[in-house]
Amino acid sequence: MSAEQRSDYDVAVVGGGLVGSATAWGLARLGQKVAILDEGDVAVRPSRGNFALVWVQGKGLGMPEYGAWTRRSSDSWGELASLLRDQTGIDVCFERPGGFMPALSEAELEDRANQLKRLHNQQAMLRYDYEIMDRAAVAKEMPFIGPDVAGASYCPLDGHCNSLKLFRAFHTGLNRFGAAYLPNRRVESIEHRDGGFRLTTVGGGEVRAGRIVLAAGHDSARLAPMVGLSAPVRPERGHVIVTEKTAPFLKFPVGYIRQTDEGGVMIGDSFEDAGFDTTVRPGVTSTIAERAVRVFPLLGKLNVVRTWAALRVLSPDGFPIYEQSVTMPGAFVATCHSGVTLAANHALALAPHIAAGKLPEEFDVFSARRFDVPKAA
Amino acid sequence: MFRRLHDAAGERVPFTVDGRAAEALAGDTVAAALLANGITVCRNTPVSGAPRSPYCMMGVCFDCLVTIDDVGNRQGCQVRVAPGMRIETQDGKREIDR
Ligand SMILES: Cc1cc2nc3c(=O)[nH]c(=O)nc-3n(C[C@H](O)[C@H](O)[C@H](O)COP(=O)(O)OP(=O)(O)OC[C@H]3O[C@@H](n4cnc5c(N)ncnc54)[C@H](O)[C@@H]3O)c2cc1C
Ligand code: FES
């Protein structure tokens, strides 16, 4: 009997956040027998606290392949949204009107222009359209900008969605595909045996699978070494504010300000090194609120209904890690800090390779081996 | 649906609802004044459009939202009626500049 036959599942995905759900959905769609092992309702889970941008502009400085990977996901996001709608009836409200990143001074605008130039001057960079707009050009699209707005960068590839509906659509879809979602099954340890994997979950239960995908967010750092991989991720806290629902006035996602499909305005986001603390800090929320009101003064009239803080899953250089274990080739790890943006890739591009059992060479650049370079003395 | 107590007294306060003249008694909240004037539906919800009436009358449920003097989404049960106040019932989402 082969290991696969002795296993309960073809693939066990550890972690039911956005990365795990998208990958598992892609696998199940190809007919794989999939289990998703997840924690309970209360877990550190940025998949429920993110800003829902499907964002391209500015990404890939230092790793042009990441720029291309991101662009590819943006280009197939529409297909993902319609596949999910056809399968589940859930509209994840994806739109790609292009996105603005506002600059609040001439100096900031110039920095942005230089940064985007450096990004696109990289060898191997897959170039895409963007524009640096002055104040007048931005005001033509959004006449209600504040006096401090000096201009903005604009990229037609940027968009956004309703990421909670995305999460729900993946889970509904997984269920329809017959995948097993197993909550309250935190994986404690993983053993490689007889060509397959045994995952021991909290409380002592066991799940066997021919292949595994580690998509446990922050906990992948602990799990990866058990299967000959590494995922040295750390938390970075981000605050988000959301206002009461308002009649539509803002068509574009504007970097850290966007209006959701249901009318609330989301205002983000901070970048803080605060360990695993998700407490909301009033000082941080007032700083990001003030910046947003400088961009769009009329936001000042809206009531805030919620604020929260969530933890990004960041690798040392901020780029994703996708890797297949050399010593235990049935084990894969996937982690990134833009799980919404990259959802289309995880479902439609990464999952087929995992189903086939092999990550092709183009993924080598995303290996965590890039962090093994000895530090200069 | 609602009637005032027999011994309810106080000065009459004129205000408008959706442009029509109405009267409250001094001390009424906006939500109470609307109910006393027979207006039970003060808004429709922004997502499903379901009709809503003031419910808790104590600032908790947010079902009493109305536009008061051009400011949207105010809790009617937390604001006293003032002479000449312009109250508007809301259909769905508020406007950002109102
Ligand atoms: C403030 C903020 C704003 C953001 N904005 C955006 C944005 O606009 N666009 C974008 O693309 N991305 C954004 N992100 C990032 C995005 O949310 C993350 O990339 C994504 O949620 C990461 O998903 P994940 O599945 O890797 O991790 P998680 O959401 O952490 O999911 C991991 C899952 O694994 C489970 N788990 C952990 N350990 C175990 C274990 N041992 N056994 C079983 N299960 C386990 C957890 O319970 C959890 O369900 C934002 C993040 C933050 C914090
Ligand atoms: S009636 Fe409940 S908040 Fe006003």
Side-chain angles (χ1 to χ4, degrees):
Chain A
M1 212 162 43
S2 80
E4 303 260 333
Q5 278 171 316
R6 258 181 282 119
S7 295
D8 306 330
Y9 300 98
D10 297 330
V11 193
V13 176
V14 184
L18 274 176
V19 174
S21 303
T23 311
W25 183 85
L27 287 162
R29 182 169 170 257
L30 298 171
Q32 299 271 301
K33 195 173 171 208
V34 178
I36 303 106
L37 291 91
D38 204 4
E39 294 181 293
D41 280 345
V42 180
V44 175
R45 193 177 274 144
S47 299
R48 290 185 189 170
N50 62 68
F51 203 68
L53 293 175
V54 177
W55 199 254
V56 176
Q57 79 168 274
K59 285 180 177 167
L61 187 57
M63 192 195 271
E65 295 84 353
Y66 175 54
W69 179 242
T70 300
R71 189 203 160 142
R72 176 173 173 183
S73 200
S74 158
D75 285 342
S76 37
W77 233 101
E79 184 193 346
L80 173 68
S82 62
L83 288 169
L84 287 171
R85 190 178 40 236
D86 292 347
Q87 188 201 8
T88 67
I90 297 171
D91 179 3
V92 301
C93 302
F94 171 65
E95 283 187 44
R96 191 160 81 157
F100 287 85
M101 193 63 175
L104 287 167
S105 67
E106 291 297 337
E108 197 185 327
L109 190 61
E110 204 179 307
D111 280 356
R112 177 86 38 72
N114 287 332
Q115 207 185 338
L116 288 172
K117 213 179 280 166
R118 279 207 309 282
L119 173 71
H120 286 268
N121 281 342
Q122 295 178 113
Q123 280 208 342
M125 182 69 193
L126 185 72
R127 293 189 181 79
Y128 51 79
D129 286 345
Y130 71 88
E131 236 179 285
I132 300 292
M133 291 187 175
D134 63 12
R135 185 185 157 74
V138 180
K140 217 180 265 170
E141 295 296 340
M142 298 179 286
F144 41 82
I145 50 172
D148 293 348
V149 177
S153 50
Y154 170 79
C155 171
L157 301 177
D158 295 328
H160 56 166
C161 71
N162 181 321
S163 63
L164 291 175
K165 287 184 183 164
L166 172 66
F167 204 30
R168 178 145 167 251
F170 275 136
H171 278 261
T172 306
L174 279 162
N175 190 14
R176 300 254 162 101
F177 283 140
Y181 175 69
L182 309 172
N184 303 306
R185 300 290 289 272
R186 180 179 195 267
V187 174
E188 300 291 348
S189 62
I190 307 170
E191 260 184 290
H192 187 46
R193 247 202 250 167
D194 314 323
F197 295 87
R198 280 178 194 220
L199 302 99
T200 308
T201 65
V202 70
E206 197 181 84
V207 170
R208 290 178 303 172
R211 258 169 272 138
I212 58 166
V213 180
L214 301 182
H218 298 287
D219 206 35
S220 288
R222 180 182 69 89
L223 294 170
M226 296 178 191
V227 290
L229 288 164
S230 115
V233 289
R234 67 179 168 86
E236 183 189 66
R237 189 168 64 189
H239 275 72
V240 177
I241 300 172
V242 61
T243 73
E244 60 195 352
K245 293 177 172 59
T246 305
F249 73 99
L250 184 59
K251 175 172 149 213
F252 305 96
V254 181
Y256 40 85
I257 305 167
R258 67 177 204 96
Q259 186 170 26
T260 70
D261 53 296
E262 291 187 338
V265 180
M266 290 181 77
I267 298 171
D269 50 353
S270 54
F271 303 88
E272 310 149 70
D273 186 358
F276 282 95
D277 179 3
T278 54
T279 324
V280 169
R281 297 292 151 130
V284 180
T285 50
S286 50
T287 305
I288 61 177
E290 197 209 333
R291 180 179 61 173
V293 171
R294 283 177 70 198
V295 178
F296 298 132
L298 37 61
L299 290 176
K301 294 193 179 171
L302 295 180
N303 292 304
V304 167
V305 292
R306 274 191 307 286
T307 54
W308 66 81
L311 302 171
R312 295 183 193 84
V313 185
L314 266 198
S315 70
D317 57 11
F319 301 124
I321 301 173
Y322 304 110
E323 190 160 9
Q324 175 168 21
S325 176
V326 175
T327 50
M328 305 172 209
F332 300 81
V333 63
T335 184
C336 69
H337 92 77
S338 289
V340 182
T341 304
L342 296 175
N345 275 4
H346 295 155
L348 304 175
L350 178 67
H353 294 308
I354 295 175
K358 176 128 186 63
L359 285 191
E361 242 166 57
E362 66 195 81
F363 283 85
D364 288 356
V365 61
F366 297 117
S367 155
R369 287 189 301 272
R370 67 185 188 268
F371 306 121
D372 297 342
V373 182
K375 285 202 175 66
Chain B
M1 194 187 318
F2 290 93
R3 273 184 297 127
R4 289 195 185 273
L5 297 173
H6 294 304
D7 53 359
E11 253 176 76
R12 288 158 189 271
V13 181
F15 68 101
T16 62
V17 192
D18 296 330
R20 294 186 308 273
E23 245 179 24
L25 292 186
D28 282 353
T29 64
V30 167
L34 291 178
L35 294 174
N37 279 276
I39 296 157
T40 48
V41 174
C42 62
R43 68 175 183 119
N44 297 324
T45 60
V47 178
S48 72
R52 283 289 185 275
S53 308
Y55 179 60
C56 72
M57 299 299 273
M58 61 182 204
V60 180
C61 71
F62 286 73
D63 271 340
C64 58
L65 301 178
V66 286
T67 300
I68 301 177
D69 289 340
D70 287 333
V71 180
N73 271 5
R74 297 202 65 194
Q75 282 169 284
C77 73
Q78 299 298 295
V79 179
R80 275 190 213 290
V81 181
M85 204 175 234
R86 281 173 298 117
I87 299 167
E88 289 160 86
T89 54
Q90 285 190 186
D91 187 16
K93 300 173 176 87
R94 72 169 281 186
E95 307 275 333
I96 191 167
D97 48 2
R98 242 167 76 89

